[in-house]
């Protein structure tokens, strides 16, 4: 594995940033400390039956109390960049008004320690923890304005040091899982009536870009969308129409307005479902399409879409919830699967990048892969021998293949030649609270014992350190 790590390291071009990623709610814990307010995820995780195993994130990985140790892990690893999120309810507990001193002090310390270790801070303003006092959450247009105020507060506090800002992480997942299917907070099952939550997040994104620019932040500004290349399960009209529909719902509703200043047209049979977008004020679209310095891409897997309700299960309940839709995702028989059952398909990362070039052309800013990674339920599934819980050879293969596929895709003659790809962030530094799946899926390159919260670097951590150290 060392040899392969070196080969990969030598291929990584100068200026390409390799980092690790986390999110506040998934790692911090200390939900009642430091003046933090309540978020919709706090409420959701304490409702019976929402989270696999009945767990919550009150302690999570206890990062709030182990910040120094976690920064040291990253410093020893040698990453260029750390992508984390600011908890809105820590900085502005009720979602409006002035800043919370202790919350700001916590991130001040994190950012200063990162800089002292030579690691670039990439701060995500919103990774799903909405202050509960913002009634209606993202169904309310007012939340977009509250979000811009919060962005301005964060900019005043950290704008002199944060190297990259991500406004919103995966508005598609928030809309689909949180508002359409109900498997994430706030747990609404509105199906297509969830689309206002998409528009308000995108508007909040655009307003936040304006707030960050007004505050004069020194860092670069972008958004993070999750892209899944879509294919119909079978040739023919039926699956084809639903595949086009899913591509619109999952990818284009969130990328087109940001990069092109307009919502996509829905495929003919479904046009009515997207009627709400016809009434959008053109001024909103001008705000949403504010120029960005980079585009954050999360890539996990491609989607094979077929007509008709499905009958699949998934550890996080996503697949069951999708049974209420008139289409479903089919397995890809040719690919191995992750602990979530997601297909392992590194080449489709190149397809995702290529589609972005084809669709957005000159409008596409430099791309930073803000997340990519793989979960397994336990050490044995990660590829380890039973006696060695940190031997995750399957993760090494996953990460190596995906980083290589991204580099191949943008190389001369590659599927996405011309895309200015500037980095890859591994999801995740730590095993953490995996939303609806609780602690049953491990994504970390560092193992966390959820009884003691002790950290133990896995083999993939050593592999990544070798990759980083082998760069020219
Ligand atoms: C990311 O979400 C998150 O940013 C991160 O917090 C999380 O821990 C990580 O991935 C791992 O889950 O089939 O249309 O219902 C990406 C998770 C899962 C989102 C699959 C889209 C399919 C949507 N993705 N999901 S759909």
């Amino acid at each position: 594995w060392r040899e392969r790590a070196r080969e990969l390291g030598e291929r990584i071009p100068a200026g390409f940033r390799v980092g690790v990623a986390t999110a506040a709610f998934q790692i911090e814990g200390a939900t009642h400390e430091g003046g933090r307010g309540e978020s919709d995820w706090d409420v959701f995780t304490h409702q019976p039956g929402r989270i696999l195993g009945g767990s919550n994130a009150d302690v999570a990985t206890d990062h709030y109390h182990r910040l120094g140790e976690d920064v040291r892990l990253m410093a020893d690893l040698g990453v260029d960049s750390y992508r984390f999120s600011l908890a809105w309810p820590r900085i502005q507990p009720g979602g409006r008004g002035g800043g919370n001193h202790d919350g700001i002090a916590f991130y001040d310390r994190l950012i200063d320690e990162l800089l002292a270790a030579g690691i670039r801070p990439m701060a995500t303003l919103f990774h799903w923890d909405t202050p509960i006092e913002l009634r209606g959450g993202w169904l309310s247009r007012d939340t977009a304005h509250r979000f811009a105020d919060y962005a301005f507060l964060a900019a005043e506090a950290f704008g002199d040091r944060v190297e990259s800002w991500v406004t919103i992480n995966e508005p598609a997942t928030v809309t689909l899982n949180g508002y359409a299917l109900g498997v994430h907070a706030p747990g609404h099952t509105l199906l297509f009536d969830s689309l206002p939550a998409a528009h308000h997040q995108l508007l909040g994104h655009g307003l936040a870009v304006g707030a960050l620019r007004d505050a004069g932040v020194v860092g670069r500004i972008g958004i993070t969308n999750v892209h899944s290349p879509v294919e119909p399960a079978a040739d023919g009209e039926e699956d084809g129409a639903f595949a086009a529909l899913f591509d619109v719902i999952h990818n284009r509703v969130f990328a087109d307005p940001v990069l092109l200043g307009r919502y996509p047209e829905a495929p003919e049979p479904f046009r009515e479902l997207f009627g709400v977008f016809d009434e959008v004020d053109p001024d909103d679209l001008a705000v949403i399409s504010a120029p960005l310095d980079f585009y954050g891409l999360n890539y996990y897997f491609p989607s094979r879409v077929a007509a008709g309700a499905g009958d699949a299960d998934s550890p996080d309940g996503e697949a069951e919830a999708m049974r209420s839709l008139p289409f479903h995702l089919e397995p890809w028989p040719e690919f191995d699967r992750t602990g979530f059952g997601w297909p392992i398909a590194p080449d489709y990362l190149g397809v995702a990048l290529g589609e972005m070039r084809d669709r957005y052309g000159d409008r596409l800013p430099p791309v930073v892969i803000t997340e990519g990674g793989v979960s397994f339920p336990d050490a044995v599934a990660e590829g380890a021998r039973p006696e060695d819980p940190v031997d995750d050879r399957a993760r090494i293969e996953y990460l190596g293949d995906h980083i290589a596929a991204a580099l191949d895709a943008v190389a001369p003659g590659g599927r996405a030649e011309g895309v200015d790809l500037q980095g890859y962030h591994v999801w995740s530094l730590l095993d953490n609270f995996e939303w609806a799946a609780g602690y049953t899926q491990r994504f970390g390159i560092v193992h966390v014992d959820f009884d003691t919260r002790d950290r133990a670097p896995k083999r993939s951590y050593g592999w990544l350190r070798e990759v980083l150290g082998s760069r020219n």
Side-chain angles (χ1 to χ4, degrees), residues 26 127-128 169-170 173 176-177 181 246 250 298 300-301 318 322 329 340 342 371 427 434-435 443:
Q26 296 179 268
H127 201 127
W128 305 356
N169 178 71
E170 297 190 355
T173 305
L176 252 47
N177 286 355
L181 301 177
F246 189 68
H250 190 284
N298 289 356
Y300 286 91
F301 58 89
E318 235 179 63
M322 285 184 76
L329 301 183
F340 264 133
W342 301 345
E371 281 179 35
W427 185 271
E434 178 48 38
W435 307 113
F443 271 95

Side-chain angles (χ1 to χ4, degrees), residues 399-414:
L399 294 174
D401 289 349
H402 281 74
I403 296 171
L407 296 176
D408 287 343
V410 300

Side-chain angles (χ1 to χ4, degrees), residues 230-245:
V230 177
E231 288 181 7
D235 292 341
E237 251 170 61
E238 237 203 337
D239 287 359
F242 282 107
L245 172 67

